[in-house]
């Protein structure tokens, strides 16, 4: 990479734009928005520049080298490549910062793509290799960044010294701002432009005791693109993360690098940390004042014991939040091309766990063995033979389609299909985590499957090798 990303204070500095068309107008707007003392050289101005003429000095002329005198930054933005080259060569020979609009590869300065929430700015560039990619990234970031963060940045700047005096360490300051950014009252004040009231709210918050908090976050079924925006924000603010084995490595990579990671290893047949110890860990970490994320695969309230953990936190007086996640029943089936409901095949869907209850009580197999419904079973591999027999015994046809979705939504996804009479045999062909789908909708995977897992992609790539 030849360009060093820098933020340069351009306010009141003399800048020159050569050109009077739409490209020159785009460059001029960026410079004027940041307070540049702008001179523009062009025989004529496009309507966009003409509307801004009061904000810059217009030299109604063709380019001459004397216009470079005492300039700090020069932009060559005419529609004539030869003129642009002459401007570039002359400015470069003087050691000036110069941008050649039609040749970013040779420019000493690149105008990056910018997402603005003044005074907050996010700038990025592909070095001229893929401008379309920079525009795509800009659009995505523009949608992600809250509109009121500019106001938050301004208010935070006014209170920076007070926060530094109130909180001795960077961790304490980060914790304070993370809690503030979460607060609905503060966000409403900022969104309504009531900056004075927002500042008073923050001044009062500085004096309040800082307590720990637990955020229960659903990581979704595996594909990091299915993580919610709120979940991603929490992973970036976490000081401690207690995570399960079902959370994919790609999602783990999104956690703030400085966060402490604690594996609690919950997975079917591999409960390396008992639930009561997990509860105690959450309480201990929160009582130490930290922002704790409890990260669970799928949705934390779908067979994830999330409610049990929150009950413990409630009893200990620890504040908490819940960030839902896409559960495997919705994510894995969608990636396998299996709709949970269909007017011609299933009017309802039932989610159950394959784990037997501690009291030994069985589910109501008669209600589960109904036709025209979809049965989705979590953690059912180890009891597949029992599930198969009980459903058949209660009247569900042995020819009912079934599907086992292994590592759904990930590049390693694999779907094994057959009938209910084959369920126990099919279960031996897959590994955990796998989702079990029983019902006529499972047969639709033949025509509706769209996701290309890694094995299929490798096979397709081999055709072009």
């Amino acid at each position: 990479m030849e360009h060093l990303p820098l933020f340069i204070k351009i306010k009141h500095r003399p800048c020159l734009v050569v050109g009077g068309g739409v490209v020159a107008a785009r460059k001029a707007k960026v410079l004027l928005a940041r307070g540049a003392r702008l001179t523009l050289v062009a025989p004529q101005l496009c309507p966009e520049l003409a509307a801004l003429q009061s904000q810059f000095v217009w030299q109604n002329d063709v380019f001459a080298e004397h216009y470079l005198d005492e300039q700090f930054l020069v932009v060559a933005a005419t529609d004539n490549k030869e003129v642009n080259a002459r401007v570039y060569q002359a400015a470069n020979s003087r050691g000036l910062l110069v941008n050649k609009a039609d040749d970013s590869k040779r420019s000493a300065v690149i105008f990056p793509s910018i997402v603005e929430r003044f005074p907050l700015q996010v700038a990025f560039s592909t070095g001229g290799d893929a401008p379309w990619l920079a525009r795509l990234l800009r659009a995505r970031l523009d949608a992600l960044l809250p509109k009121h963060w500019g106001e938050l940045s301004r208010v935070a700047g006014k209170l920076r010294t007070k926060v530094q005096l109130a909180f001795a360490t960077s961790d304490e300051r980060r914790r304070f701002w993370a809690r503030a950014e979460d607060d609905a009252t503060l966000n409403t004040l900022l969104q309504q432009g009531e900056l004075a009231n927002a500042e008073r709210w923050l001044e009062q918050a500085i004096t309040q005791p800082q307590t720990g908090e637990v955020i229960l976050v659903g990581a979704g079924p595996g594909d990091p693109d299915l993580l919610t925006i709120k979940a991603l924000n929490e992973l970036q603010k976490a000081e401690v993360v207690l995570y399960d084995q079902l959370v994919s490595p790609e999602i783990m990579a999104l956690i703030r690098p400085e966060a402490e990671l604690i594996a609690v290893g919950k997975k079917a047949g591999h409960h390396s940390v008992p639930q009561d110890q997990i509860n105690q860990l959450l309480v201990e970490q929160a009582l130490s004042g930290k922002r704790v994320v409890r990260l669970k695969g799928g949705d934390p309230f779908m067979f994830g014991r999330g409610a049990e953990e929150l009950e413990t936190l409630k009893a200990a007086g620890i504040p908490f939040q819940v960030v839902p996640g896409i559960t495997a029943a919705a994510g894995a089936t969608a990636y396998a091309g299996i709709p949970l409901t269909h007017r011609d095949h299933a009017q309802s869907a039932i989610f159950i766990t394959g784990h037997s209850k501690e009291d030994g009580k069985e589910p109501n197999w008669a209600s589960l063995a109904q036709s025209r419904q979809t049965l989705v079973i979590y953690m059912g591999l180890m009891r597949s033979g029992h599930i198969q027999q009980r459903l058949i015994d209660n009247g569900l046809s042995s020819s009912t389609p079934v599907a086992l979705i292994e590592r759904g939504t990930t590049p390693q996804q694999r779907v094994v299909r057959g009938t209910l009479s084959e369920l126990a045999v099919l279960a031996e062909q897959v590994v955990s985590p796998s989702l079990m789908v029983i019902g006529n909708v499972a047969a639709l995977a033949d025509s509706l499957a769209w996701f290309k897992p890694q094995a299929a992609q490798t096979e397709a790539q081999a055709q072009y090798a």
Side-chain angles (χ1 to χ4, degrees):
M1 191 69 178
E2 296 177 344
H3 295 89
L4 173 66
L6 292 172
F7 281 89
I8 299 175
K9 188 172 184 179
I10 208 76
K11 189 174 184 179
H12 301 317
R13 291 186 182 273
C15 299
L16 175 70
V17 173
V18 181
V22 292
V23 176
R26 188 166 65 246
K27 306 286 187 179
K29 282 183 175 181
V30 172
L31 294 172
L32 289 171
R34 287 150 183 82
R37 187 155 48 89
L38 183 63
T39 299
L40 192 142
V41 176
Q44 59 185 13
L45 301 179
C46 69
E48 203 170 355
L49 281 172
L52 299 172
Q53 188 177 340
S54 62
Q55 300 181 42
F56 58 83
V57 175
W58 177 32
Q59 297 293 344
N60 187 353
D61 195 2
V62 295
F63 172 72
E65 287 197 28
H66 68 83
Y67 286 120
L68 299 176
D69 294 346
E70 299 182 357
Q71 297 295 337
F72 176 73
L73 171 66
V74 177
V75 179
T78 75
D79 58 2
N80 188 312
K81 290 188 176 182
E82 293 181 359
V83 173
N84 287 347
R86 190 154 56 88
V87 174
Y88 171 79
Q89 290 167 2
N92 196 51
S93 67
R94 296 189 181 204
L96 298 175
L97 295 175
V98 57
N99 170 256
K100 189 164 176 275
D102 60 357
D103 188 3
S104 57
K105 286 284 189 181
R106 295 182 59 196
S107 295
V109 173
I110 292 178
F111 276 55
S113 293
I114 302 173
V115 177
E116 299 173 334
R117 303 287 188 270
F118 282 123
L120 174 65
Q121 299 182 77
V122 180
F124 43 90
S125 170
T126 63
D129 287 336
W132 64 269
L133 186 57
R135 288 193 293 270
L136 178 61
L137 181 57
R138 181 192 182 281
R140 290 191 180 185
L141 288 178
D142 194 42
L144 283 174
L145 294 183
K147 303 300 181 184
H148 65 275
W149 271 16
E151 287 75 13
L152 176 60
S153 183
R154 281 197 287 272
V155 173
K158 291 183 178 181
L159 296 176
R160 184 177 181 185
T161 300
K162 289 184 178 180
V163 172
Q164 288 176 331
L165 292 173
F167 305 106
T169 68
S170 60
D171 282 341
E172 290 174 331
R173 292 190 289 272
R174 185 186 302 110
R175 195 175 301 141
F176 168 76
W177 285 118
R179 292 289 295 274
E181 190 270 327
D182 274 347
D183 191 86
T185 300
L186 176 62
N187 285 332
T188 299
L189 292 173
L190 293 171
Q191 290 163 4
Q192 295 175 349
E194 298 181 24
L195 301 192
N197 288 334
E199 186 174 344
R200 282 192 288 272
W201 185 97
L202 283 168
E203 286 179 326
Q204 293 176 358
I206 290 172
T207 64
Q208 300 300 315
Q210 296 300 301
T211 59
E213 183 177 14
V214 175
I215 300 90
L216 186 60
V217 175
D223 184 348
D225 285 345
L226 296 180
L227 196 69
T228 65
I229 294 173
K230 186 171 179 61
L232 178 61
N233 289 339
E234 292 300 339
L235 295 183
Q236 290 295 306
K237 292 187 290 187
E239 295 176 271
V240 180
V241 178
L242 278 71
Y243 66 97
D244 291 345
Q245 290 182 3
L246 290 178
V247 179
S248 69
E250 293 81 5
I251 289 175
M252 292 297 298
L254 299 174
I255 298 172
R256 189 171 73 91
E258 297 83 2
E260 178 185 358
L261 303 180
I262 302 176
V264 291
K266 291 189 67 180
K267 185 177 178 181
H270 299 85
H271 293 262
S272 58
V273 179
Q275 185 62 52
D276 60 343
Q277 291 185 27
I278 295 175
N279 296 347
Q280 187 61 32
L281 275 170
L282 289 171
V283 171
E284 291 173 356
Q285 293 291 335
L287 288 178
S288 69
K290 296 176 181 177
R291 189 178 185 89
V292 183
V293 164
R294 174 68 175 101
L295 186 60
K296 292 173 170 286
D299 180 87
F301 281 177
M302 185 63 72
F303 306 121
R305 297 193 178 182
E308 297 175 34
E309 295 173 359
L310 295 189
E311 287 170 346
T312 300
L313 296 172
K314 179 72 174 179
I318 295 170
F320 56 81
Q321 301 180 46
V322 180
V323 180
I326 294 178
T327 186
T333 55
Y335 273 51
I338 300 174
L340 290 173
T341 63
H342 190 290
R343 285 193 301 174
D344 296 332
H345 302 287
Q347 282 69 53
S348 63
I350 300 176
F351 303 164
I352 67 169
T353 174
H355 281 179
S356 58
K357 297 182 179 180
E358 293 181 1
D359 57 10
K361 290 183 179 179
E362 288 280 310
N364 186 340
W365 290 106
S367 66
L368 298 178
Q370 300 298 311
S371 60
R372 303 188 67 79
Q373 70 179 12
T374 304
L375 186 59
V376 181
I377 304 177
Y378 290 71
M379 300 169 285
L381 289 185
M382 296 177 64
R383 304 187 74 230
S384 58
H386 179 74
I387 293 169
Q388 170 186 318
Q389 193 59 50
R390 297 298 291 154
L391 289 173
I392 292 175
D393 288 347
N394 281 271
L396 189 60
S397 172
S398 61
S399 62
T400 301
V402 301
L404 299 177
I405 309 170
E406 177 184 289
R407 296 171 179 165
T409 79
T410 74
Q412 295 76 36
Q413 174 177 299
R414 193 164 66 94
V415 181
V416 177
R417 288 198 41 244
T419 64
L420 181 58
S421 63
E422 303 168 311
L423 180 59
V425 175
L426 296 176
E428 295 177 355
Q429 301 174 26
V430 297
V431 298
S432 181
S434 290
L435 191 73
M436 190 178 293
V437 183
I438 302 173
N440 290 338
V441 292
L444 297 177
D446 285 339
S447 58
L448 301 183
W450 58 271
F451 179 58
K452 304 299 182 185
Q454 195 172 61
Q457 292 175 12
T458 302
E459 183 178 342
Q461 292 167 357
Q463 298 178 11
Y464 299 96

